[in-house]
Amino acid sequence: MCIRDRNATGWWAETGGEGTLDRLVLEGDPAPGLSQEAVFTTILNQRGAISNNGDFAFLAITSDPPPAGRQAQPGVWSVSRDGTVRKVIAQKDPAPGSDGNFATTSQRPPSINAKGEVALVGVTDGLNESGVWAERWNEASQQFELKNVFLTGMVIQVSEKETWAPLEFHSPAININGVIGFVGCSRYTVSRICGIVRATWNGSGYDHQAIALHWRIPGAPRDGLGSGLSIVEGHQFNMNLLGQFAFQAQTDTHGASTGLWGWRPDVGLRRVYLNGTPFRLPSGEIRTIVNTTSKLATVVTT
């Protein structure tokens, strides 16, 4: 949890149970990986990320001087289970895959898996360039290596003849096998039209697959029963260790009903439930969900 006391903001985690909180990082603490004497000046209180093993990733602004003509912008750090704080990337660092340097995370929270690998979205100092980055653990060097997952200008094949080129990114996720999920958005007149993307490592880079696209994007697949989905900026989803996805969305049919959808590599996109559809309980009783507002779909290994 993010807590502010009389003097500073910091992150604490319940690691020992029974309500015991351990301090992870506090404003004024040294900011590793930057110039000497640099400290965290602002711990950003957007959602941090914690893994099943207790590793933690967060956003912060430091006292390290920004480039000339730019304001200080947040970077990404992690805290391991032994309390070691490690920089993932910060302003002025080279941005893998780009000719430019990393500029800002746009204050969007990162993700972290049980290996301590971090995934994040951000912006470079290139013209209108955004991207998704993720760490991979190198056994030989015993170090985390930050890789580019997607960058503005890349395209995704969405049908035999059509491609999609998202230009801004949200909701990064990484599972223990290094599979990446994120929301990408492109422009349609004045609106942002978005989709959920799955990225997998091929040995030298990432392959990309759009698993769910807003129905106005050419080539957007329909769900198993013919509905188009409304995917928007900031859309939330869950991804498990098998790289399966689950998410809530509205449709372009059935009176814009809300429902739950899932995606599996061997099955593809399928509707799980649509608002107003009756279902039978084991007892034989019939129930109907009439409001799924703000409910986030979950998916487990089975």
Side-chain angles (χ1 to χ4, degrees), residues 247-270:
F247 58 93
Q248 176 180 294
Q250 286 190 327
T251 72
D252 64 335
T253 58
H254 308 288
S257 293
T258 300
L260 303 178
W261 281 261
W263 183 93
R264 285 171 39 179
D266 58 333
V267 175
L269 182 66
R270 289 292 182 271

Side-chain angles (χ1 to χ4, degrees), residues 94-123:
S98 170
D99 294 330
N101 294 327
F102 191 77
T104 174
T105 63
S106 299
Q107 299 189 11
R108 293 165 185 152
S111 176
I112 188 168
N113 66 12
K115 292 181 179 179
E117 298 167 331
V118 175
L120 61 108
V121 297
V123 178

